[in-house]
């Protein structure tokens, strides 16, 4: 994705294929591993391109359309390039009552992006998310795999400077 | 007061390791079950415990299990699946159990699997719970090393493999048949019932799906026995429950308390009452798909039937507090937007009805409401009510709306009375 478009190998790597086949062994049908397979490729590449999708479908004995139907159903599978860090802003009711809208506005102001957008430097993508299961610390935001509690201005600084 | 589910969760300790877990009787319930009891005996104990599902619906766990074919003529392959797709807004209990005492869940899974003679078990974990995934994966691996999983568990004739599946989003995955489709690698649309999963579930095989907190009860029921378990509750329901509160209370959090603990005690003693400057307007007792209750209901015990008698459901038992400075109509709009976004789109009332409800509420709040809107909203609550949709998502979505229309009618009408309305429409 954000490597200047230069050297990413379009073929799935041996490591990716091995991980996918290992996971497929947990299921009676290989297609059972479709979501994990998409996540494995996404872990390595940041998102799932059409080329990757075709190769995963071949590995799992699925049609491309069937797998794309799966990929586009789940909001944590990215079929378009995303930033190195995806910011997931909880907008469910407990966070909303405690100022989630304001948090989202602040993030948008700081980064110059709205929902579904990526910063020009490829660092951040901003997305809404349902309840992250930490309502006693609302509002919460997840950046990459890190969950931030009780998000206020100070927390925002900490959150957004970490990856930079 | 006993807190079996959270006794290993201690301040200043990251999480309970295998050694910590075993130090308080961990894996002894499993040992007792697989070395001295038949599977059907385990089922009977759980049935007699009167444990009810903690995922929201409150279905009796032993009864759910009893529909799984057992004995020599039963299918050779059966599955035990844990619903760890915690995504009901306002709910934050299963995450704590998984992060802080992962072995408790693993032991519960093995006991539940043994009870129905499952051949494989899966944990269906929501994708955002990274720390839970890490700790559960480590706990599973340790359980294999200790002979609690794999071939001939604790030298018995019972064998089981347990896999961790991390999901990729969508609230609908928490619906049990949608979850099974998702676990099969498909879109998470719900399935028609019957057949029920106990007969034809994952890949058409008999399957049990139980919630994390439900499963965490099993080791204790097996180890400490029925008399002990029946002594835990304060009301009609048995055992303890993780209750919680979020919103404008002084100390939002979760607490393991006896079933039947009065709501007032949870809100006032444990959550510390309302924040200064805020008054209690109402609350959803257990997630966004439960009906509002009012301050006049504070003395109702948190028991499945007691809450139902007041027109709501205990749901997940984690309450969302509506304060007097939050507009109930905007609150409901937030909730309906959530449901509308999370509808899987499979059946028409839900796919088309929920965005319609959102549009009506948005118009209302923006001063573009029309006479008859409230009747239309009320009509929607019936059109998307139980029996008219493929699964429980839309009926759940209608619960806060229908109760808000009943209890906070003035707040809705206030928007219609605005002078700007004369020109709107």
């Amino acid at each position: 994705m954000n490597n200047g478009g230069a050297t990413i190998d379009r073929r799935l790597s041996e490591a990716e294929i091995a991980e996918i086949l290992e996971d497929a062994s947990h299921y009676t049908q290989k297609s059972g591993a479709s979501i994990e397979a998409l996540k494995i490729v996404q872990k390595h590449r940041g998102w799932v391109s059409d080329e990757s999708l075709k190769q995963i479908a071949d590995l799992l004995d699925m049609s491309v359309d069937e797998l794309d139907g799966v990929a586009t159903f789940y909001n944590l599978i990215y079929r378009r390039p995303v930033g190195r860090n995806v910011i997931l802003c909880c907008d469910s009711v407990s966070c909303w009552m405690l100022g989630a809208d304001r948090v989202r506005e602040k993030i948008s102001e700081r980064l110059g992006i709205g929902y579904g957008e990526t910063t020009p430097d490829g660092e951040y993508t901003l997305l809404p998310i349902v309840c992250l299961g930490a309502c006693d610390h609302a509002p919460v935001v997840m950046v990459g795999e890190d969950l931030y509690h009780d998000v206020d201005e100070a927390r925002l600084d900490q959150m957004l400077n970490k990856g930079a | 007061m006993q807190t079996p589910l959270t006794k290993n969760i201690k301040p200043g300790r990251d999480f309970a390791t295998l050694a910590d877990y075993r130090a308080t009787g961990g894996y002894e319930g499993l040992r007792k079950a697989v070395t001295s009891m038949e599977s059907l005996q385990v089922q009977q104990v759980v049935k007699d415990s009167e444990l009810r599902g903690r995922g929201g619906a409150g279905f009796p766990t032993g009864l759910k299990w009893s529909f799984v074919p057992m004995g020599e003529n039963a299918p050779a392959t059966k599955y035990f699946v844990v619903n760890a797709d915690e995504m009901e807004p306002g709910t934050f209990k299963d995450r704590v159990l998984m992060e802080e005492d992962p072995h408790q869940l693993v032991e519960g899974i093995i006991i539940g699997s043994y009870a129905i003679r499952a051949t494989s078990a899966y944990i269906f974990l929501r994708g955002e719970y990274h720390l839970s995934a890490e700790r559960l994966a480590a706990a599973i691996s340790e359980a294999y090393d200790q002979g609690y999983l794999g071939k001939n568990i604790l030298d018995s004739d019972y064998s089981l493999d347990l896999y961790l599946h991390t999901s990729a989003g969508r609230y609908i995955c928490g619906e049990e048949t949608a979850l099974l489709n998702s676990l099969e690698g498909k879109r998470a649309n719900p399935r028609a019932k019957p057949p029920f999963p106990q007969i034809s579930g994952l890949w058409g095989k008999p399957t049990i799906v139980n919630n994390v907190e439900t499963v965490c009860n099993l080791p204790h029921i097996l180890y400490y026995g029925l008399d002990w378990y029946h002594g835990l509750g304060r009301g009609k329901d048995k055992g303890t429950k993780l209750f919680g509160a979020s919103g404008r209370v002084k100390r939002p959090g979760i607490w393991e308390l006896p079933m039947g603990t009065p709501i007032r005690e949870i809100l006032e003693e444990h959550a510390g009452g309302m924040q200064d400057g805020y008054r209690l307007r109402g609350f959803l007792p257990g997630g966004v798909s439960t009906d509002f209750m009012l301050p006049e209901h504070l003395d109702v015990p948190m028991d499945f039937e007691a809450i139902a008698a007041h027109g709501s459901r205990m749901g997940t038992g984690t309450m969302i507090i509506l304060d007097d400075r939050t507009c109930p109509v905007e609150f409901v709009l937030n909730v309906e937007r959530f449901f509308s976004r999370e509808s899987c789109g499979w059946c028409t009332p839900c796919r088309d009805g929920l965005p319609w409800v959102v549009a009506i509420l948005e118009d209302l709040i923006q001063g573009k409401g029309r006479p008859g809107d409230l009747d239309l909203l009320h009509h929607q609550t019936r059109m998307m009510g139980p029996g008219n949709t493929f699964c429980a998502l839309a009926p759940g979505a209608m619960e806060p709306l229908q109760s808000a229309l009943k209890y906070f009618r003035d707040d809705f009408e206030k928007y219609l009375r605005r002078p700007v309305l004369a020109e709107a429409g």
Side-chain angles (χ1 to χ4, degrees):
Chain A
M1 30 175 262
N2 298 297
N3 289 9
T7 52
I8 288 254
D9 193 337
R10 295 184 161 191
R11 303 294 311 167
L12 295 185
S13 68
E14 280 178 29
E16 286 168 297
I17 292 170
E19 275 184 68
I20 292 169
L21 293 180
E22 206 285 317
D23 205 87
S25 73
H26 301 170
Y27 299 90
T28 53
Q29 290 172 12
K30 282 202 272 181
S31 58
S34 65
I35 293 158
E36 268 107 341
L38 292 162
K39 287 176 75 171
I40 287 165
V41 169
Q42 187 164 289
K43 183 182 73 188
H44 287 271
R45 291 159 193 264
W47 66 295
V48 181
S49 67
D50 289 351
E51 283 123 333
S52 299
L53 192 87
K54 277 183 204 125
Q55 293 169 71
I56 299 168
D58 285 346
L59 270 180
L60 300 180
D61 298 333
M62 294 172 78
S63 76
V64 173
D65 288 343
E66 188 186 2
L67 185 63
D68 204 14
V70 173
T72 53
F73 185 90
Y74 295 94
N75 55 294
L76 297 179
I77 302 295
Y78 307 130
R79 285 286 279 114
R80 285 193 287 164
V82 292
R84 279 178 285 279
N85 295 288
V86 175
I87 303 175
L88 299 173
C89 270
C90 174
D91 62 1
S92 290
V93 71
S94 298
C95 282
W96 168 78
M97 281 193 290
L98 282 124
D101 285 349
R102 185 87 191 112
V103 168
R104 205 269 304 150
E105 282 163 21
K106 281 279 160 202
I107 295 173
S108 285
E109 266 171 40
R110 290 275 294 266
L111 300 178
I113 51 172
Y115 277 146
E117 294 175 350
T118 301
T119 53
D121 64 357
E123 192 62 34
Y124 295 108
T125 296
L126 184 62
L127 292 172
I129 194 79
V130 302
C131 184
L132 286 166
C135 318
D136 48 344
H137 291 289
V140 299
V141 173
M142 186 170 262
V143 183
E145 295 193 358
D146 299 322
L147 184 65
Y148 291 85
H149 287 163
D150 307 297
V151 178
D152 54 16
E153 299 263 342
R155 284 298 258 175
L156 274 180
D157 285 336
Q158 192 190 351
M159 229 168 70
L160 298 178
N161 292 333
K162 197 180 165 191
Chain B
M1 189 171 64
Q2 298 192 64
T3 54
L5 302 177
T6 56
K7 68 183 174 195
N8 291 321
I9 299 177
K10 296 192 171 148
R13 178 162 89 185
D14 240 12
F15 69 105
T17 62
L18 176 60
D20 297 331
Y21 184 62
R22 279 204 291 222
T24 60
Y27 286 106
E28 290 307 315
L30 171 68
R31 186 178 303 279
K32 190 170 163 187
V34 298
T35 62
S36 70
M37 296 167 78
E38 297 294 328
S39 288
L40 284 173
Q41 287 178 297
V42 176
Q43 283 196 25
Q44 192 60 46
V45 167
V46 172
K47 202 169 186 175
D48 293 341
S49 77
E50 299 175 55
L51 170 66
R52 295 177 65 163
R54 305 299 201 231
F59 195 81
T61 306
L63 183 61
K64 191 178 208 180
W65 291 1
S66 70
F67 300 110
V68 174
M70 298 293 289
E72 281 174 19
N73 295 327
T77 302
K78 294 187 236 175
Y79 297 106
F80 188 89
V81 178
V82 177
N83 187 342
D85 198 50
E86 179 169 75
M87 222 181 286
E88 176 80 16
T91 303
F92 48 104
K93 62 184 185 70
D94 295 341
R95 181 177 56 81
V96 175
L97 292 170
M98 293 186 284
E99 285 181 0
E100 311 225 2
D101 199 3
H103 278 285
Q104 176 174 244
L105 178 61
V106 171
E107 184 185 2
I109 293 168
I110 308 166
I111 292 170
S113 301
Y114 177 69
I116 63 155
R117 301 297 291 200
T119 39
S120 298
Y122 293 90
I123 301 172
F124 188 101
L125 179 68
R126 73 176 290 190
E128 299 91 332
Y129 278 10
H130 300 288
L131 190 56
S132 298
E134 190 183 299
R135 291 191 177 155
L136 285 169
I140 291 169
S141 159
E142 287 172 332
Y144 271 103
D145 290 344
Q146 299 295 319
Y148 301 137
L149 279 169
K151 292 245 174 294
N152 301 109
I153 292 169
L154 296 172
D155 298 322
S156 69
D157 66 347
Y158 182 61
S159 303
L160 177 73
D161 282 313
L162 169 59
Y163 304 107
L164 176 65
H165 169 94
T166 62
S167 184
R170 296 309 292 271
Y171 170 75
I172 191 62
C173 293
E175 200 277 343
E176 120 179 330
T177 60
L179 183 151
L180 295 176
N181 274 338
S182 186
L183 200 50
E184 289 183 8
K186 299 173 182 155
R187 294 166 73 93
N189 296 320
R191 297 177 179 176
K193 293 188 277 194
F196 288 89
Q198 291 100 316
I199 306 298
S200 177
L202 191 60
W203 288 295
K205 303 297 183 191
T207 303
I208 283 294
V209 183
N210 281 151
N211 162 263
V212 169
E213 188 185 352
T214 312
V215 175
C216 287
N217 275 271
L218 300 175
H220 312 293
I221 292 171
L222 266 291
Y223 187 43
Y224 297 104
L226 291 175
D227 288 343
W228 168 82
Y229 192 74
H230 286 165
L232 293 174
R234 281 168 64 175
K236 189 154 183 269
D237 285 318
K238 304 295 186 277
T240 59
K241 172 91 189 71
L242 267 62
F243 294 116
S246 65
R248 297 272 179 199
V249 289
K250 284 206 179 91
R251 293 190 300 270
I254 61 162
W255 311 275
E256 183 183 2
L257 299 169
M259 275 290 198
T261 299
I263 294 165
R264 183 186 299 282
E265 201 174 305
I266 300 170
L267 286 187
E268 293 178 1
E269 286 178 30
H270 298 282
M274 298 299 288
Q275 288 178 11
D276 295 335
Y278 292 89
R279 283 189 306 125
L280 177 67
R281 188 85 200 277
F283 57 94
L284 303 177
V288 291
S289 38
T290 60
D291 282 272
F292 276 102
M293 293 176 78
L294 297 175
E296 68 194 58
H297 300 129
L298 280 177
D299 294 310
V300 174
M302 272 293 220
D303 248 11
F304 286 107
E305 285 172 25
I307 299 284
H310 290 86
S312 188
R313 294 188 304 116
M314 191 162 81
T316 60
T318 44
M319 294 183 268
I320 306 168
I321 309 303
L322 171 68
D323 61 77
D324 63 333
R325 288 159 67 176
T326 299
C327 170
V329 186
E330 289 186 58
F331 182 112
V332 171
L333 171 60
N334 174 284
V335 168
E336 299 307 329
R337 276 183 177 149
F338 157 79
F339 281 113
S340 175
R341 186 171 78 197
E342 294 302 322
S343 168
C344 79
W346 183 250
C347 73
T348 308
C350 179
R351 181 188 61 240
D352 289 356
L354 290 171
W356 192 1
V357 164
V358 168
I360 298 169
L361 290 170
E362 281 174 346
D363 279 358
L364 197 62
I365 288 168
Q366 289 163 15
K368 293 186 277 184
R370 286 159 292 262
D373 271 0
L374 303 194
D375 290 339
L376 185 54
L377 284 173
H378 182 69
H379 181 67
Q380 299 281 8
T381 65
R382 279 181 288 134
M383 297 307 281
M384 280 183 272
N388 292 335
T389 59
F390 210 73
C391 81
L393 186 140
M398 293 302 100
E399 292 184 23
L401 175 60
Q402 72 193 9
S403 46
L405 283 166
K406 182 168 68 175
Y407 293 140
F408 309 120
R409 186 119 191 141
D410 254 12
D411 295 84
F412 285 87
E413 285 175 350
K414 180 188 73 190
Y415 286 108
L416 283 173
R417 284 197 299 266
R418 283 185 180 173
V420 7
L421 293 188
E423 298 135 63

